[in-house]
Amino acid sequence: MRDRHAARLLVIDAADRLLLFRFDPGDRPPFWATAGGECEAGESYEDAARRELLEETGIAAEPGEAVDARDSIFVTFEGEKVHAVERYFAIRVAETAIDVSGHSDMERRAMREYRWWTADELAACEERYYPPDLPDLFARQRENAA
């Protein structure tokens, strides 16, 4: 099983809402997750965070330092079982307009919608989201900004 290094993005707007994308892979139930993705060969987590932010949201911003690190085992949309080694970056944005024109073909198929979530909305969400402790991770970022 290969290590899959990825940058995940906690994009938070001025109203303290978290941007999540709804993934509908077709072979499993839909779920919500942060923007972000796999590091390209030779790419740092910070560079991947910057690139993924621009590709998936149209927002150009500096990711700063990673705010969380974790690893897990999961199956990619292509069916590959991987050891995910992820770094999370919190990015505060003023603009809430999202441009998805930079999405790959796979992202266009699987990332069917996005929305900005308040902490209360996320806590009440009945659909699955990743990571499972996302409300806690979001709360820590909101506390750090206060």
Side-chain angles (χ1 to χ4, degrees):
M1 180 179 349
R2 76 178 175 93
D3 287 344
R4 182 185 184 273
H5 298 269
R8 306 301 315 172
L9 310 168
L10 300 164
V11 182
I12 303 168
D13 73 2
D16 238 6
R17 298 178 303 169
L18 177 66
L19 177 65
L20 296 178
F21 285 88
R22 186 173 189 264
F23 291 80
D24 190 355
D27 63 343
R28 59 195 103 161
F31 61 90
W32 293 89
T34 64
E38 187 171 6
C39 298
E40 294 179 352
E43 188 176 44
S44 69
Y45 286 104
E46 293 80 4
D47 288 342
R50 190 177 302 106
R51 176 183 52 75
E52 289 287 343
L53 180 66
L54 185 59
E55 288 175 2
E56 294 186 359
T57 70
I59 298 169
E62 288 302 313
E65 302 254 340
V67 298
D68 197 57
R70 55 190 62 208
D71 63 327
S72 63
I73 305 295
F74 79 94
V75 178
T76 68
F77 291 155
E78 293 81 16
E80 179 187 9
K81 188 175 183 179
V82 295
H83 171 231
V85 182
E86 299 176 328
R87 300 292 178 268
Y88 281 77
F89 296 85
I91 301 171
R92 291 273 176 177
V93 298
E95 180 61 48
T96 58
I98 300 301
D99 176 4
V100 297
S101 64
H103 283 198
S104 67
D105 288 340
M106 184 281 298
E107 290 167 339
R108 284 188 195 93
R109 286 190 311 274
M111 295 168 71
R112 302 200 182 248
E113 63 185 280
Y114 64 87
R115 76 175 262 208
W116 294 93
W117 296 74
T118 66
D120 289 341
E121 290 168 337
L122 185 57
C125 179
E126 294 185 7
E127 282 192 297
R128 189 174 297 200
Y129 48 77
Y130 289 102
D133 67 336
L134 185 57
D136 294 333
L137 186 55
F138 181 30
R140 285 197 306 271
Q141 299 319 304
R142 291 173 43 243
E143 289 167 8
N144 290 343

